[in-house]
Structure formats: structure tokens, C-alpha cells
């Protein structure tokens, strides 16, 4: 049930409008319902006001207004957070999505990006110069949100996480200041922003390092669901010698209607092992050879393709598209033995629909070469990240999908290595999951930063670190 509608006085709104260039959307506005939609259709919240910012001045005005009104604040960039933290009930959404400024410096191989950009939009600009940086595996996700939590993606084993390519950040603080954080300026804040999410203020712009990336080599092999256990055993062995220019993942998922997959398997649960190699074709061919030989697969897609094509390949799948309810539970895991693999297989057999997936993503490489204490991002030596995700269209299916996701996650607890990637923390997770994500030492340091920059926890609709 929604809270009673909060209204601000006309005088207060008029005062805001004199200092706000963007669009203000209240519940009586014709675009209100469209403006409050986020990626996860399970989230249905009704803010009192959405402030669609065009620049830093608008962000400053919105923060000042929210403080004066004593309103809860949600900060929206890409709107793709599974917990739905980009929208709030009864408060103010500071919506950065109109802030699309981007400037590529091809000589220095850097890009300055405003906080409303998605990876699709950023990649469009950087690829004009044959450059890219590590971004999300779904191109509709927001650059700022993905980066602040860490930033896993197809280039991570070669070029590190998104935060490992972060050079500077412009941030509006809770007390209405604009500060810059980098290795040379507000260095402790810069440490915390690299993994600490949106806890310390509103990021309005960031500068990222770029790398030569144009056409990448991609391999996707397809197997029936009945081969999951054998495929996971093979995958864990395969990645033990994975070269750093390659990033790969294994997903148990509803198989798409692709010509490379037999028609009778379209829409049924199956296994996809996907790999991206950013390097010479002959080296990629050698790296993909064991992948193609295993099974053998019932189908395969092996081809060079533009980096942007890979980035958007999963955008329209139910797990990535708007309009579906979503539930995620995730954790880091070590190499799984037979007992762990069979526990996983049993949970997948019990899935209520083909829209329930399991993914295990190989980490390491450049991620693990960064010192554990260099950034707030935790557990750099974890070999794998794993998650359960369920999607549904009909709200009547929500309960059984959420229950399966939770049950599957709990059943595999004995095989976890500890911790979680904060970007995949869902709404309603057990208490203490943020503490578990960072660990005691980093949490203490992050809490000190929170006290310095947001002592009242003004920015609390996030993976929250309390002051």
C-alpha cells in the first residue's frame, strides 16, 4: 500500500523553480507514471516530486530543497538497480538521467561522462575513436551506478573493474558543496567512492581511462540443461588457464530463439558459456578451442563482432529488459566440488519457470592485481561471482519466483566463500549484508567517511553505510 501523497507548498515549489532549469514532475503531471518507472517492475513507488536535473546547478538546488523540506531522497541515474533505489515512496527523486554530457580525449585516452549516461551512450562516443573501458554486461545500465559499486564487465580481466579505470569524480555533498575526488585531491573520499556506491553524495560527472577496443572476438556455446553439472565442471577447469584478454561466464538460462540453437530448444532452460577475447583472431581461436570441443555443444556462435554488439547482446533478455519483475541473490564462490555442483543442479531443476537463471562469472586477472586496500571494493582475490536471478511478467508469479531465488541462495550457502558484490544486493536482503560485503576493516573506514561527508545519512536509499 502506498503512503498518503506528500505535497509541498506552492511557495516552496515556486522558490525551487526559480533556481531549477530542468523539469519538475509531481503526481498530477501527465508523465508522472512514466517518469517513476525503474527497470525492476517489482518496484512500484510514488515519489512526491521528481526533479529531472540538467546540470550541477539543478542538483545543488534539488539537494537544498530536499533538506529544507525534510524529504527522503532517491538518486536516479540509469534506474537499473535491482533494489529500486532510484525511486522512493513519498520523497524526492533527484533524477540525473537528462545529464548526458560526454567528452572523449582520444589523445589522453580518457572520457569525461555525466551521471545520466548509460553504457550504450558512453560506448557510442568512445567507440568512434576505437576506445572503451570496462562497463556493465547490459548496455542499458547507468555508467555512474555500475562504476561506484565496482563495475564488472567484459573487459575486466584485461583492464580491471570500472573503478580501476576511474580517474576523478565530481560530487555534490549532503551539505550542498561540489567537491572533486581523485588520487591527488580528497584522496580518502576517492578511495571510498571506488566501491562504496552512492553513500557520500551525488556524483555528477566522472573521468575514466580508456583502452583500445574495437572488434572483439566472441564465443558462445549452447548445451541442454541436462548437461549443466558436466558443463560447470568443465568450465571451472577451463578458466583455470584463461588468458587475461579473455573474460567468460557460464549461465543456466532460457535459451533464446537464435539460429545457432536448434528450434526445439528455443525458450527452454539450457546452458550458455560465453567468452569475449580482446586480441588477435588467432590467439582468440586458440583460447576458444577447448570451449568448442567440450560436449560437443548443440550449437555455437563464434565470430568477431563490434564491442557495442556484445555489450547489447543480452539487453532484450527478460533478465535485462524493462517490464519484468526481478529478484536477485548473489555471492562470491570458490571452485565448486561435486557436492556443490549437485546442490546447484537440484535448485535449477526446482525452478518455477525458464525465466530463473544462475550465472557464474570468472574473475581474477587484472582485478586481482590491484592491492586489496587500494579501493573500497572488497574481495579482489575471489575467483568467481555467482548469482541467482528470477524474472516474471505476471505479478501473480512474483511470490513463487522470489521464494525460489531465496531458497536456491540459501541452499548453496555452504559452498560460498563469503561476501557479495554490492551492486547486486536486492531489497529485503538479510540484515548485515552490506557489512558482509565490505568486511569489518573496510566497513570501519567507510563509516568514518560517511560521518565526514554525510553525518545525518541524508543519502540512505542505497547499499547503505551508516555514519
Amino acid at each position: 500500500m502506498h503512503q498518503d501523497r506528500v505535497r509541498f507548498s506552492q511557495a516552496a515549489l515556486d522558490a525551487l523553480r526559480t533556481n531549477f532549469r530542468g523539469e519538475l514532475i509531481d503526481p498530477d503531471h501527465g508523465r508522472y507514471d512514466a517518469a517513476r518507472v525503474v527497470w525492476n517492475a517489482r518496484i512500484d513507488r510514488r515519489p512526491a516530486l521528481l526533479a529531472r536535473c540538467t546540470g550541477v546547478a539543478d542538483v545543488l538546488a534539488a539537494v537544498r530543497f530536499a533538506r529544507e523540506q525534510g524529504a527522503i531522497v532517491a538518486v536516479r541515474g540509469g534506474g537499473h538497480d535491482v533494489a529500486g533505489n532510484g525511486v522512493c515512496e513519498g520523497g524526492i527523486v533527484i533524477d540525473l538521467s537528462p545529464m548526458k554530457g560526454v567528452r572523449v580525449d582520444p589523445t589522453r585516452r580518457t572520457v569525461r561522462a555525466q551521471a545520466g549516461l548509460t553504457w550504450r551512450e558512453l560506448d557510442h562516443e568512445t567507440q568512434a575513436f576505437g576506445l572503451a573501458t570496462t562497463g556493465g554486461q547490459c548496455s542499458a545500465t547507468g555508467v555512474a551506478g555500475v562504476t561506484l559499486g565496482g563495475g564488472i564487465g567484459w573487459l575486466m580481466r584485461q583492464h580491471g573493474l570500472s573503478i580501476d579505470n576511474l580517474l576523478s569524480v565530481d560530487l555534490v555533498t549532503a551539505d550542498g558543496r561540489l567537491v572533486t575526488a581523485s588520487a591527488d585531491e580528497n584522496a580518502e573520499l576517492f578511495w571510498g567512492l571506488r566501491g562504496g556506491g552512492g553513500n557520500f553524495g551525488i556524483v555528477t560527472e566522472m573521468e575514466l581511462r580508456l583502452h583500445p577496443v574495437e572488434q572483439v572476438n566472441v564465443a558462445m556455446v549452447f548445451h541442454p540443461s541436462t548437461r549443466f553439472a558436466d558443463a560447470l565442471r568443465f568450465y571451472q577447469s577451463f578458466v583455470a588457464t584463461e588468458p587475461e584478454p579473455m573474460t567468460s561466464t557460464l549461465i543456466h538460462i532460457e535459451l533464446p530463439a537464435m539460429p545457432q540453437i536448434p528450434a526445439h530448444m528455443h525458450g527452454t532452460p539450457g546452458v550458455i558459456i560465453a567468452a569475449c577475447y580482446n586480441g588477435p583472431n588467432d590467439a582468440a581461436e586458440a583460447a576458444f578451442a577447448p570451449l568448442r570441443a567440450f560436449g560437443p555443444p548443440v550449437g555455437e556462435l563464434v565470430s568477431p563482432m563490434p564491442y557495442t554488439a556484445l555489450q547489447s547482446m543480452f539487453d532484450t533478455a527478460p533478465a535485462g529488459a524493462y517490464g519484468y519483475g526481478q529478484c536477485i541473490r548473489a555471492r562470491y564462490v570458490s571452485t565448486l566440488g561435486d557436492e556443490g555442483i549437485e546442490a546447484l543442479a537440484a535448485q535449477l531443476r526446482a525452478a518455477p519457470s525458464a525465466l530463473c537463471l544462475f550465472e557464474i562469472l570468472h574473475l581474477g586477472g587484472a582485478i586481482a592485481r590491484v592491492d586489496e586496500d587500494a579501493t573500497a571494493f572488497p574481495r579482489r582475490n575471489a575467483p568467481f561471482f555467482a548469482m541467482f536471478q528470477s524474472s516474471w511478467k505476471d505479478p501473480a508469479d512474483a511470490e513463487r519466483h522470489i521464494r525460489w531465488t531465496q531458497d536456491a541462495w540459501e541452499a548453496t550457502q555452504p559452498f560460498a566463500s563469503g561476501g557479495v558484490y554490492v551492486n547486486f544486493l536486492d531489497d529485503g536482503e538479510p540484515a548485515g549484508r552490506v557489512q558482509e560485503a565490505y568486511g569489518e576493516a573496510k566497513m570501519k573506514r567507510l563509516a568514518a567517511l560517511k560521518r565526514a561527508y554525510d553525518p545525518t545519512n541524508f543519502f540512505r536509499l542505497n547499499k547503505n553505510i551508516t555514519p
Side-chain angles (χ1 to χ4, degrees):
M1 180 177 293
H2 298 297
Q3 296 176 356
D4 291 338
R5 182 179 295 184
V6 176
R7 289 190 181 274
F8 304 112
S9 72
Q10 192 60 50
L13 289 171
D14 288 344
L16 174 60
R17 286 190 177 95
T18 63
N19 294 300
F20 197 85
R21 189 163 62 93
E23 186 179 21
L24 297 175
I25 298 177
D26 66 13
D28 296 324
H29 194 288
R31 294 201 309 107
Y32 175 76
D33 284 328
R36 68 185 180 88
V37 168
V38 290
W39 163 70
N40 188 351
R42 179 164 59 101
I43 307 300
D44 180 21
R45 300 178 187 145
R46 300 183 65 85
L49 185 70
L50 296 101
R52 289 174 51 79
C53 302
T54 61
V56 174
D58 282 354
V59 176
L60 290 167
V63 167
R64 183 166 55 250
F65 178 81
R67 289 186 67 86
E68 291 170 352
Q69 298 296 316
I72 191 170
V73 165
V75 181
R76 175 179 180 142
H80 220 276
D81 176 42
V82 66
N85 286 324
V87 66
C88 58
E89 185 70 32
I92 298 172
V93 174
I94 299 179
D95 187 351
L96 310 177
S97 60
M99 295 173 59
K100 301 292 190 184
V102 55
R103 180 168 63 85
V104 179
D105 185 333
T107 302
R108 293 180 58 237
R109 290 181 178 171
T110 61
V111 59
R112 294 198 64 87
Q114 286 191 313
L117 287 163
T118 64
W119 286 104
R120 180 188 299 115
E121 293 161 341
L122 182 71
D123 291 338
H124 174 76
E125 298 294 331
T126 62
Q127 282 288 278
F129 303 96
L131 300 169
T133 195
T134 306
Q137 291 175 292
C138 175
S139 72
T141 53
V143 173
V146 167
T147 300
L148 293 173
I152 61 176
W154 291 111
L155 303 176
M156 64 183 177
R157 285 180 38 80
Q158 184 178 35
H159 295 304
L161 302 166
S162 300
I163 56 166
D164 299 329
N165 297 283
L166 188 61
L167 299 174
S168 69
V169 174
D170 291 345
L171 180 91
V172 170
T173 62
D175 59 359
R177 293 177 295 130
L178 179 67
V179 300
T180 297
S182 68
D184 302 317
E185 187 175 0
N186 295 308
E188 182 69 3
L189 176 60
F190 189 53
W191 175 86
L193 287 168
R194 288 175 291 166
N199 273 281
F200 312 112
I202 299 176
V203 170
T204 58
E205 187 169 314
M206 54 179 55
E207 183 180 21
L208 293 153
R209 182 184 299 110
L210 301 172
H211 308 275
V213 181
E214 292 186 81
Q215 184 170 272
V216 293
N217 287 281
V218 175
M220 298 178 67
V221 296
F222 308 99
H223 298 271
S225 177
T226 53
R227 200 178 284 169
F228 169 77
D230 289 340
L232 182 51
R233 290 188 190 94
F234 160 77
Y235 179 70
Q236 292 182 133
S237 173
F238 169 71
V239 299
T241 58
E242 188 171 44
E244 286 196 5
M246 186 161 79
T247 295
S248 65
T249 183
L250 180 148
I251 313 175
H252 186 278
I253 194 172
E254 179 187 45
L255 294 176
M258 295 173 61
Q260 294 85 3
I261 302 173
H264 72 276
M265 296 179 66
H266 294 175
T268 67
V271 179
I272 302 174
I273 305 177
C276 165
Y277 192 101
N278 182 38
N281 292 353
D282 55 349
E285 185 177 344
F288 294 158
L291 191 61
R292 302 175 70 182
F294 166 73
V298 295
E300 66 173 24
L301 185 160
V302 181
S303 176
M305 66 175 63
Y307 174 67
T308 51
L310 173 63
Q311 280 284 81
S312 60
M313 184 168 287
F314 297 102
D315 286 2
T316 58
Y322 271 69
Y324 289 84
Q326 308 284 351
C327 181
I328 291 177
R329 291 293 185 270
R331 58 164 51 102
Y332 295 112
V333 296
S334 301
T335 301
L336 294 166
D338 288 342
E339 185 180 0
I341 291 173
E342 181 46 44
L344 277 171
Q347 293 304 316
L348 294 172
R349 288 193 294 269
S353 80
L355 298 186
C356 298
L357 71 81
F358 169 77
E359 177 177 14
I360 185 166
L361 182 66
H362 185 223
L363 305 174
I367 301 169
R369 288 203 304 274
V370 177
D371 187 88
E372 177 66 27
D373 294 328
T375 68
F377 185 85
R379 305 181 191 274
R380 285 185 173 270
N381 290 322
F384 297 102
F385 165 72
M387 74 170 186
F388 295 93
Q389 179 175 355
S390 57
S391 310
W392 59 92
K393 264 289 190 185
D394 187 343
D397 291 332
E399 183 179 350
R400 65 194 184 112
H401 281 81
I402 293 170
R403 187 187 310 117
W404 173 83
T405 310
Q406 179 68 26
D407 289 349
W409 180 76
E410 290 178 351
T412 55
Q413 173 64 31
F415 314 105
S417 62
V420 60
Y421 176 41
V422 293
N423 278 355
F424 286 90
L425 282 175
D426 204 342
D427 192 30
E429 295 244 20
R433 285 281 275 163
V434 175
Q435 170 80 44
E436 179 188 348
Y438 292 109
E440 184 177 354
K442 287 194 175 184
M443 196 66 178
K444 183 177 180 180
R445 190 171 170 184
L446 287 165
L449 262 177
K450 183 74 171 178
R451 287 192 295 274
Y453 285 92
D454 186 13
T456 66
N457 206 14
F458 179 74
F459 298 113
R460 60 187 180 273
L461 288 185
N462 46 41
K463 320 305 181 185
N464 196 235
I465 297 163
T466 55

